């Protein structure tokens, strides 16, 4: 977190997943034909969840082991469905976005269930 002017700016650096697509993503195949971009989507979701729950690492939520909520579920994608790309390669996905685009995104920690979960319903 940096202070710019009168307010705080919360940010995260998400590197180029093309340099480590197999190490940064949960699979080397891709629902969208680009494993590096698909891995980036999951990483961005991970960082947004942490920025929302822990905007200041000195005072935000961490478990007894020092892990933030998204860290507790890193690379845990939960239940998946199987699809095939135009070349017939099989891939996994667990999220369908705009225009039917499919993604494989990690789960996040659910405090009420005390486990990783894909969706959170608010009352």
């Amino acid at each position: 977190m940096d202070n710019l002017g009168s307010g705080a700016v919360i940010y995260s650096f998400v590197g180029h997943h093309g340099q480590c697509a197999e190490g940064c993503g949960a699979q080397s195949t891709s629902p969208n034909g680009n494993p590096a971009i698909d891995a980036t989507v999951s990483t961005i979701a991970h960082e947004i969840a942490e920025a929302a729950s822990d905007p200041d690492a000195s005072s935000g939520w961490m478990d007894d082991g020092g892990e933030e909520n998204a860290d507790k579920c890193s690379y845990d994608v939960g239940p998946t469905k199987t699809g095939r790309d135009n070349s017939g390669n099989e891939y996994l996905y667990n999220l369908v976005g705009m225009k039917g685009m499919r993604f494989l995104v990690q789960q996040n920690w659910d405090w009420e269930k005390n486990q990783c979960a894909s969706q959170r319903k608010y009352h």
Side-chain angles (χ1 to χ4, degrees):
M1 177 167 50
D2 277 347
N3 290 318
L4 286 174
S6 61
V9 176
I10 300 163
Y11 65 91
S12 172
F13 173 77
V14 177
H16 186 309
H17 284 67
Q19 301 298 316
C20 65
E22 290 185 30
C24 298
Q27 63 184 341
S28 59
T29 56
S30 168
N32 297 299
N34 190 330
I37 294 299
D38 288 337
T40 301
V41 169
S42 187
T43 301
I44 289 171
H46 172 117
E47 294 303 331
I48 288 171
E50 288 181 346
S53 66
D54 185 13
D56 181 353
S58 67
S59 63
W61 185 89
M62 290 188 185
D63 70 7
D64 293 337
E67 289 189 302
E68 296 170 293
N69 59 326
D71 293 335
K72 293 177 74 65
C73 303
S74 285
Y75 301 104
D76 180 347
V77 297
T80 60
K81 294 184 179 182
T82 303
R84 291 197 181 276
D85 65 18
N86 292 336
S87 300
N89 298 313
E90 193 172 272
Y91 62 81
L92 301 174
Y93 68 98
N94 61 0
L95 179 69
V96 179
M98 292 175 51
K99 298 183 181 180
M101 292 185 75
R102 297 173 175 178
F103 299 96
L104 186 64
V105 177
Q106 79 163 59
Q107 299 184 101
N108 200 11
W109 188 253
D110 185 313
W111 292 279
E112 290 179 352
K113 294 179 181 177
N114 203 33
Q115 66 184 28
C116 295
S118 296
Q119 296 179 344
R120 176 76 169 99
K121 294 182 181 176
Y122 294 95
H123 313 285

